[in-house]
Amino acid sequence: MATVLNVQNLSKNFGGLRALNEVDMRIDSGEIVALIGPNGAGKTTFFNCITSIYTPTEGEVRFTPKSGTESRINGMKPNLVTGLGMSRTFQNIRLFKNMTVLENVMIARHCRTKGGILGALLRTPAIRKEEQEIVDRSYELLKYIGLHRYYNDLACNLPYGEQRRLEIARALATEPSLLLLDEPAAGMNPQETASLKQLVLRIRDELDMAILLIEHDMSMVMSLSERIYVMEYGCMIAHGTPDEISKDPRVIKAYLGEDHA
Amino acid sequence: MQELTKSLKVSLWFMFLTFPLMVVRVNTIEHTVEWRWMNMVYMAVGSFALSFVWRWALRRKEMAKAAPERPRNAFTERLGSDKRFTVSVYGGLFALFALMPWIVSTYQTNIFISFMLYVILGLGLNIIVGVAGLLFLGHAAFYGIGAYTYALLNHYYGIGFWTALPIGGVVAALAGVVLAFPVLRLRGDYLAIVTLGFGEIVRLVLENWSDLTGGPSGVSNISRPDLFGHHLSVAGANTYVYYIVLVMAIVTIIAVQRLKDSRIGRALQALREDEIACQAMGIDRVNVKLMAFGLGTAWAGFAGVIFAAKTTFINPASFTFFESAIILSIVVLGGMGSNLGVILGSAFLVLMPEYLRAFSEYRMILFAMAMVLMMIFRPQGLIAPKGRKYIINDPDLAATEGGKA
Ligand SMILES: Nc1ncnc2c1ncn2[C@@H]1O[C@H](COP(=O)(O)OP(=O)(O)OP(=O)(O)O)[C@@H](O)[C@H]1O
Ligand SMILES: [Mg+2]
């Protein structure tokens, strides 16, 4: 299987605080991989580093999109990383709150379209066609996620669980090869979590992408992921299949708690 | 009842505060003290009434907030959905404005020229402040850059209006982009301060570079626009300028609307909402910010060229911070992000003072009061920006919406 993401020796310092310490990770195409760890372990920081929101202090991030060659992406502009085919959601929801649900998804089509200023002013047939394609494609995605009923509502008026799903729709609209989900089930009730699980599986199978997922909901992590990475205090302390991880003594001590032993 | 006692307390407090100012008057010549008790009564009644009305309005606002959303303003709603209505309204307005110079005096034509100049300026600033959400306090500087571009090109090289018009726009846009580079990382107040500073720098340069710009005395004898090579009389040229501004204003309205509804416009809005999410969705933050400034200031450049051609004389005093503040007020008052709002805003701020000459001494007070009241009772501006309608090709949608209703 082809490697999509290859992270080596990644470190990130915030002043004196070492939030990431020589972290390695590998994701193959079509895999669902989970990243777990106690609060403050550095999971979100890891996401921010590989998507170039932060510049890593040390290390290498290599990314190979579905159709393309491997490139080194650390230090690249975040929008270019997205353009290459890596897309993410945010732990603390970052929707465009005062825009409609449809517009939120339409914005994510920005990097896959190219209408410029002149086109906008003259409104040429080509531009109009492109605009309508953006609308159609975005609406299609909303339908795929099951949010099309709300398409004309403001994003901030959506229920919390739906906002998380909208973030996923928005991320999908950039046509990623690797989808990064930062605690997608946080704040969801059991039904919502169950349907989210279905959605993640569907996305992987039907849209053919690798998924890296940060999650605190252990049942979700165990049932969804093929491999799990465990982080603590910025270090990768273990990695393996769900079975191996749930038996690993270090993980049990650090994360799952003594009662799982 | 509680309201009454509160208002009563306010009025007592005001009586006490204004006592030394309004009541006691020492006559230093006759060494007597006058007690003007009547003033105190006026003060008391006035402050009581004001405070009461104030509270009542605030309460009404709270109630409106609690109540379910009322149907939107019928007029603005129809303007857009009802095609015949829209066409007749815009057609009528256009006809009115097209005939204006033949109906009203030259003096009033001039007022309308300046009104439309402010519409152009306001719409340009609206891209930066309203759509992209970047607080920008130096718009007048770019107005000045446009005006001086034409004035100096005309003065030194004899370049005509029509050649200078695009040049003015381009120079102002480039200047906007140049300003944008150092402020890329700034937001909110910090951005406002830097842009304010930039505006002042431009003005000071214009004022002090006497060899080039003529310093504080400015540039005079700028050519009026030619009509296909014909020279026009002063009155004729004025009418001609009126039509130029009218066409330019219409072009601006259409262009800005199209920009707002385009891929670029969406990116600008996204930038206003959340910069990090914007980048994560593949939008080049730097590029889009530069575009916002360039697209906004270009209109100021156009307006500047027309202004110079209209007045035939410009000096730095026309492009002070006060001017920027007026343009910003137009945008804020009209409704950030709404083009119709900007037009109404400039009508309010430019035409009102002209037709209420009688109150000219209180102009700034009225102006400030309007702003304060606006911020309290209608912070979104006269017209809240209207969302765009999209064509959705989905047969199921009608069914689901029917089910929801
Ligand atoms: N921008 C920043 N500046 C300074 N320190 C930061 C910054 N971002 C994160 N940190 C620190 O880095 C550490 C890791 O934070 P991070 O958000 O990555 O944790 P996390 O694993 O995502 O936790 P959670 O499960 O609570 O989301 C924390 O100690 C945090 O305080
Ligand atoms: Mg986190």
Side-chain angles (χ1 to χ4, degrees):
Chain A
M1 236 189 260
T3 307
V4 179
L5 182 74
N6 191 355
V7 180
Q8 273 163 6
N9 241 348
L10 189 72
S11 301
K12 175 72 189 170
N13 297 346
F14 291 116
L17 178 81
R18 200 161 175 85
L20 288 179
N21 186 18
E22 296 174 3
V23 173
D24 294 336
M25 181 182 281
R26 234 183 115 100
I27 298 176
D28 290 335
S29 61
E31 258 191 321
I32 298 181
V33 176
L35 174 60
I36 62 172
N39 290 113
K43 306 180 293 292
T44 301
T45 305
F46 179 77
F47 267 29
N48 285 335
C49 282
I50 59 177
T51 54
S52 277
I53 302 270
Y54 295 158
T55 312
T57 313
E58 281 164 32
E60 274 223 327
V61 183
R62 292 182 165 276
F63 179 65
T64 319
K66 249 182 267 180
S67 56
T69 46
E70 184 178 63
S71 49
R72 187 169 182 269
I73 59 168
N74 40 335
M76 219 177 196
K77 278 180 167 181
N79 53 299
L80 295 180
V81 173
T82 310
L84 272 181
M86 195 190 300
S87 186
R88 67 174 291 181
T89 66
F90 292 90
Q91 179 175 2
N92 47 345
I93 300 178
R94 278 180 177 274
L95 289 170
F96 305 116
K97 292 193 185 62
N98 294 309
M99 301 176 81
T100 65
V101 169
L102 184 69
E103 282 168 336
N104 265 276
V105 183
M106 285 172 72
I107 284 170
R109 298 294 301 159
H110 188 94
C111 58
R112 300 286 172 238
T113 46
K114 43 188 188 304
I117 294 173
L118 208 61
L121 289 176
L122 300 176
R123 223 175 251 186
T124 54
I127 290 293
R128 283 217 293 257
K129 184 156 159 276
E130 186 186 82
E131 266 296 295
Q132 192 56 43
E133 273 167 13
I134 294 175
V135 174
D136 291 344
R137 181 90 181 86
S138 308
Y139 185 78
E140 210 177 284
L141 265 169
L142 282 179
K143 211 165 177 184
Y144 186 77
I145 301 283
L147 289 174
H148 56 294
R149 276 184 302 143
Y150 302 110
Y151 84 95
N152 211 14
D153 294 347
L154 289 187
C156 58
N157 293 340
L158 281 188
Y160 191 78
E162 309 286 33
Q163 291 194 9
R164 288 220 173 272
R165 290 171 78 95
L166 177 55
E167 275 223 333
I168 297 177
R170 192 176 67 170
L172 289 178
T174 65
E175 296 173 11
S177 312
L178 172 63
L179 179 65
L180 308 173
L181 303 174
D182 197 344
E183 303 199 15
M188 283 190 172
N189 63 33
Q191 286 94 331
E192 285 174 323
T193 309
S195 88
L196 176 73
K197 217 152 56 178
Q198 292 311 313
L199 179 66
V200 173
L201 287 172
R202 257 174 71 208
I203 290 173
R204 192 265 303 264
D205 297 336
E206 295 172 12
L207 304 181
D208 174 36
M209 50 184 79
I211 294 170
L212 173 61
L213 160 99
I214 296 178
E215 191 47 72
H216 284 299
D217 183 330
M218 272 312 127
S219 73
M220 178 161 168
V221 168
M222 292 297 168
S223 60
L224 264 184
S225 40
E226 275 123 38
R227 287 188 299 128
I228 299 176
Y229 283 86
V230 189
M231 236 175 161
E232 192 189 19
Y233 298 121
C235 299
M236 211 56 102
I237 57 169
H239 117 252
T241 62
D243 267 351
E244 290 164 5
I245 291 298
S246 55
K247 293 193 188 93
D248 192 305
R250 276 173 308 178
V251 178
I252 293 167
K253 187 157 163 285
Y255 191 80
L256 295 176
E258 299 300 329
D259 52 335
H260 281 260
Chain B
M1 201 57 227
Q2 204 187 354
E3 304 283 322
L4 275 178
T5 44
K6 263 192 188 154
S7 298
L8 207 62
K9 272 186 205 155
V10 167
S11 92
L12 279 175
W13 180 234
F14 264 78
M15 270 158 71
F16 174 71
L17 278 182
T18 55
F19 182 79
L21 267 174
M22 304 286 289
V23 181
V24 188
R25 178 196 260 166
V26 182
N27 191 327
T28 44
I29 298 170
E30 293 173 16
H31 296 287
T32 51
V33 178
E34 277 179 57
W35 302 94
R36 296 174 295 172
W37 295 113
M38 269 329 273
N39 276 354
M40 189 167 184
V41 176
Y42 295 147
M43 203 61 223
V45 173
S47 54
F48 178 80
L50 263 183
S51 142
F52 196 74
V53 168
W54 180 255
R55 269 168 220 291
W56 171 80
L58 271 184
R59 210 156 14 124
R60 243 188 57 142
K61 186 187 166 207
E62 287 300 314
M63 250 137 78
K65 219 187 266 169
E69 211 173 311
R70 277 171 303 164
R72 290 265 300 280
N73 189 334
F75 181 77
T76 49
E77 190 70 358
R78 261 182 91 185
L79 203 72
S81 48
D82 185 342
K83 195 147 198 181
R84 267 186 61 194
F85 182 74
T86 314
V87 169
S88 47
V89 165
Y90 286 143
L93 274 178
F94 178 73
L96 181 69
F97 271 86
L99 293 176
M100 193 74 84
W102 311 104
I103 306 171
V104 300
S105 65
T106 312
Y107 171 69
Q108 293 192 333
T109 308
N110 269 326
I111 294 176
F112 274 92
I113 291 176
S114 87
F115 158 61
M116 284 187 286
L117 279 178
Y118 277 102
V119 169
I120 298 173
L121 288 166
L123 287 171
L125 186 63
N126 203 15
I127 296 179
I128 306 175
V129 176
V131 180
L134 303 161
L135 189 47
F136 183 53
L137 291 180
H139 208 54
F142 298 90
Y143 187 31
I145 286 174
Y148 268 89
T149 304
Y150 175 44
L152 297 178
L153 283 176
N154 187 260
H155 185 77
Y156 290 110
Y157 304 105
I159 286 177
F161 172 80
W162 290 108
T163 324
L165 186 62
I167 299 177
V170 169
V171 169
L174 287 180
V177 171
V178 167
L179 163 70
F181 266 111
V183 301
L184 276 173
R185 292 172 178 283
L186 302 180
R187 308 214 80 203
D189 314 353
Y190 303 101
L191 179 69
I193 290 166
V194 174
T195 54
L196 188 152
F198 185 83
E200 285 304 285
I201 289 171
V202 169
R203 192 180 58 81
L204 287 171
V205 167
L206 292 178
E207 217 158 70
N208 291 301
W209 195 351
S210 311
D211 299 340
L212 183 72
T213 64
S217 48
V219 185
S220 49
N221 283 327
I222 306 166
S223 322
R224 294 199 162 83
D226 281 350
L227 181 61
F228 304 116
H230 296 287
H231 261 301
L232 296 164
S233 66
V234 173
N238 207 48
T239 312
Y240 186 40
V241 168
Y242 176 87
Y243 284 114
I244 292 173
V245 188
L246 180 61
V247 170
M248 196 64 206
I250 293 172
V251 168
T252 312
I253 292 169
I254 294 173
V256 170
Q257 190 61 45
R258 286 188 167 186
L259 278 175
K260 235 174 69 177
D261 287 345
S262 71
R263 169 175 173 268
I264 307 287
R266 262 197 313 276
L268 293 181
Q269 283 179 49
L271 193 73
R272 173 190 71 196
E273 296 287 321
D274 191 323
E275 263 187 41
I276 290 188
C278 200
Q279 285 177 287
M281 289 305 119
I283 293 171
D284 189 338
R285 187 182 61 108
V286 173
N287 227 330
V288 167
K289 261 196 187 174
L290 296 184
M291 268 192 233
F293 277 100
L295 287 174
T297 54
W299 301 111
F302 291 133
V305 173
I306 300 175
F307 175 74
K310 173 201 155 203
T311 54
T312 72
F313 161 75
I314 53 168
N315 69 353
S318 308
F319 312 108
T320 54
F321 168 67
F322 182 70
E323 204 70 11
S324 298
I326 295 259
I327 306 168
L328 185 66
S329 316
I330 286 174
V331 174
V332 173
L333 199 73
M336 292 221 254
S338 160
N339 289 348
L340 189 59
V342 168
I343 297 170
L344 287 183
S346 26
F348 185 78
L349 283 184
V350 180
L351 298 184
M352 281 297 180
E354 296 296 344
Y355 291 115
L356 295 178
R357 279 272 168 219
F359 300 102
S360 60
E361 282 178 35
Y362 302 102
R363 191 165 142 179
M364 290 321 289
I365 295 182
L366 288 176
F367 180 59
M369 248 164 66
M371 285 306 260
V372 170
L373 290 177
M374 200 70 195
M375 286 303 102
I376 291 170
F377 295 108
R378 218 179 145 73
Q380 73 274 41
L382 290 171
I383 308 264
K386 204 161 45 164
R388 187 179 149 208
K389 291 216 163 57
Y390 299 98
I391 305 162
I392 306 286
N393 305 310
D394 181 13
D396 302 345
L397 186 70
T400 41
E401 280 195 338
K404 217 165 73 172

